[in-house]
Amino acid sequence: MHLSPRPAALATAAASLVLAAGCTASGGQGTGPKADAPQTITVWHGWSADAEAKAFENAVAGFRKAHPNITVKVVKDQTDDRITNAIRGGNPPDVVASFTTDSVGQWCQSGAWQDLAPYIKKSGVDLAQFPKAVQDYTQFKGRRCAMPLLADTYGLYYNKALMKGEQPPKTMSELTALAKKLTVRDPDGTIKVAGFMPSVQYYEHVPQHIAPQFGIRWLTPEGKGGFSGDPNVAAYLKWNKELIDWYGYANVKKFLRSMGQEFEASNPFQKGKVAMAVDGEWRTMFLKREAPKVDYGTAPAPVADDRAAQYGGGFIAGTVMGVPRGSQHAQAAWEFVRFLTTDTAALVGLANELGNVPSTIPALASPDLRLPPQFATFLQIFKHPASTTTPPTPNGNDYVVKFQQFVQDQWEPGRVRDLDASLRDLDNRIDKSLQLNGG
């Protein structure tokens, strides 16, 4: 979500963010002085690099001009754990921003982040300015405790020189055929250039970003584990394993061990070692900064062959903002949240400086956006009706983590003998975890 290294999907352990039911912090909607009274609010966000922090301060400048009575104290580099501990301890800031949309279910259900519905209604904020997927990841079971601030949108990057005139694939069968055609090997099978690396251990090729292109539903309508009853899960796994086996699992592991760091110049796509890769919109900024000579294009990620009508969509997540329980200036805090998440100039400024997608439909069309031509793909994916996100739960992304662990540790190495039984076991473990957390 930002230019500093981002945590991998498996790193967002749900257990680290579970809030105790008995949070001691008090305060709720309408508490504290009125928004037009002189006061100071404290804002915590997770951006850490100097350029990122400056971009946030530039956006805040617009709020300060519009609300001269409110002094804003900004604190950078704040993690979700620090936010959680401050709420538990009854001494939270007035506004919090997090990169972890997977935790919205926990925050909403526990009340750790206040219900914003009364503020939204009173302010007349039109939620239709946000795409449906964005509306989905900022609420849980009808309780909207977060507002979106910028977005991550995932699409396909392709190296034009390595593509040799080929057009970007639109279906998974096209992707597979082109991956094989573009792959270059040594005589012993070692992968010199991967047409496309299917392993979930390849950076952003985690199930959360690619499996939605097969239409998987993640959970049942009742909020239970839904992997065993979803034929699209089996379709995703079959595609993954067939391409893994074509490369050879040992060759895949060898290639993975040779990769550079995702957020350094040694990233294999930037070094011409990968022809096509699924990645977030921020990669355009890294390429501009670290590999300006790479001639590349972008396109929506391919979809399963039976989902051609959904081509153009992709996975969406993003930064969220909220007012924590215990805020001593809740009304002024809401005015700050409302401004940063709906003001077009503020969002466009952040998008230009951070290289993320502005999170309202009006901001997408702003003539003031100054982003690389390849960025336009992600603006289109963001507002595409087929774009999706992972559903929130009371224990965060635990079900996503468990599925990725299954794919990484059992499926890709070929250790699964009975897929149906394995997926039923996975669903049972997911359900037990959800029950322990009030799901």
Side-chain angles (χ1 to χ4, degrees), residues 308-384:
Q310 280 71 46
Y311 178 73
F315 178 77
I316 296 176
T319 296
V320 290
M321 296 190 77
V323 180
R325 176 193 288 174
S327 168
Q328 298 302 305
H329 307 86
Q331 297 183 63
W334 161 249
E335 289 301 321
F336 182 89
V337 171
R338 181 194 60 78
F339 180 89
L340 249 66
T341 59
T342 63
D343 183 80
T344 296
L347 289 170
V348 168
L350 282 169
N352 286 336
E353 296 184 64
L354 298 177
N356 297 127
V357 175
S359 39
T360 67
I361 293 173
L364 297 177
S366 172
D368 297 324
L369 284 173
R370 301 185 306 274
L371 296 160
Q374 298 93 333
F375 201 94
T377 295
F378 299 96
L379 300 178
Q380 295 301 316
I381 295 170
F382 180 70
K383 62 182 180 181
H384 196 282

Side-chain angles (χ1 to χ4, degrees), residues 32-334:
K34 293 183 178 180
D36 57 1
Q39 58 197 294
T40 298
I41 63 172
T42 301
V43 178
W44 285 8
H45 67 75
W47 284 286
S48 57
D50 289 343
E52 299 168 350
K54 184 176 184 299
F56 192 85
E57 285 284 359
N58 289 341
V60 174
F63 175 81
R64 291 187 172 113
K65 184 176 180 179
H67 298 270
N69 62 297
I70 301 175
T71 301
V72 183
K73 179 182 178 182
V74 178
V75 183
K76 68 176 184 177
D77 195 20
Q78 295 301 301
T79 65
D80 288 341
D81 284 341
R82 290 174 186 166
I83 291 171
T84 296
N85 290 334
I87 296 172
R88 282 176 171 169
N91 188 34
D94 297 295
V95 176
V96 289
S98 169
F99 305 135
T100 317
T101 54
D102 289 319
S103 298
V104 168
Q106 299 168 319
W107 292 324
C108 287
Q109 177 161 292
S110 68
W113 286 27
Q114 294 184 32
D115 185 0
L116 299 179
Y119 299 106
I120 292 170
K121 182 178 180 180
K122 184 177 180 180
S123 300
V125 172
D126 183 9
L127 296 177
Q129 67 188 293
F130 307 109
K132 183 180 183 302
V134 177
Q135 295 183 44
D136 289 345
Y137 70 62
T138 50
Q139 62 87 33
F140 180 62
K141 291 186 176 179
R143 183 183 176 94
R144 186 170 303 283
C145 67
M147 290 284 283
L149 176 68
L150 302 182
D152 281 337
T153 303
Y154 293 81
L156 185 75
Y157 286 74
Y158 56 95
N159 183 309
K160 291 184 178 180
L162 297 178
M163 292 285 278
K164 300 176 181 178
E166 297 282 355
Q167 294 302 303
K170 293 184 177 181
T171 66
M172 288 296 172
S173 63
E174 291 176 357
L175 173 64
T176 299
L178 194 53
K180 293 177 179 179
K181 183 177 182 178
L182 301 180
T183 293
V184 179
R185 301 176 187 254
D186 286 331
D188 65 354
T190 298
I191 304 168
K192 291 181 64 177
V193 176
F196 183 89
M197 177 49 59
S199 176
V200 299
Q201 295 184 69
Y202 181 85
Y203 306 141
E204 304 297 335
H205 288 187
V206 294
Q208 191 172 22
H209 301 160
I210 294 182
Q213 302 306 96
F214 288 82
I216 79 167
R217 64 185 181 183
W218 299 106
L219 301 172
T220 68
E222 296 74 32
K224 305 296 182 182
F227 293 106
S228 61
D230 186 353
N232 295 322
V233 172
Y236 160 71
L237 292 173
K238 180 181 178 182
W239 166 83
N240 165 274
K241 191 68 169 69
E242 286 182 351
L243 195 48
I244 290 279
D245 290 347
W246 181 83
Y247 279 113
Y249 184 69
N251 293 325
V252 168
K253 293 290 289 183
K254 186 176 181 180
F255 183 85
L256 294 171
R257 288 194 296 268
S258 73
M259 294 191 312
Q261 294 298 312
E262 180 178 5
F263 297 100
E264 294 181 2
S266 55
N267 181 293
F269 182 82
Q270 297 179 185
K271 299 295 288 185
K273 299 295 184 182
V274 171
M276 299 177 289
V278 171
D279 212 336
E281 78 293 332
W282 65 84
R283 182 59 54 192
T284 59
M285 298 288 280
F286 282 90
L287 284 159
K288 180 179 179 180
R289 184 179 64 195
E290 299 174 348
K293 294 183 179 181
V294 173
D295 186 13
Y296 74 99
T298 59
V303 294
D305 289 42
D306 61 354
R307 287 175 54 82
Q310 280 71 46
Y311 178 73
F315 178 77
I316 296 176
T319 296
V320 290
M321 296 190 77
V323 180
R325 176 193 288 174
S327 168
Q328 298 302 305
H329 307 86
Q331 297 183 63
W334 161 249

Side-chain angles (χ1 to χ4, degrees), residues 417-428:
R417 296 292 176 260
D418 186 334
L419 178 58
D420 289 340
S422 296
L423 292 178
R424 286 195 298 271
D425 175 69
L426 175 64
D427 284 341
N428 288 333

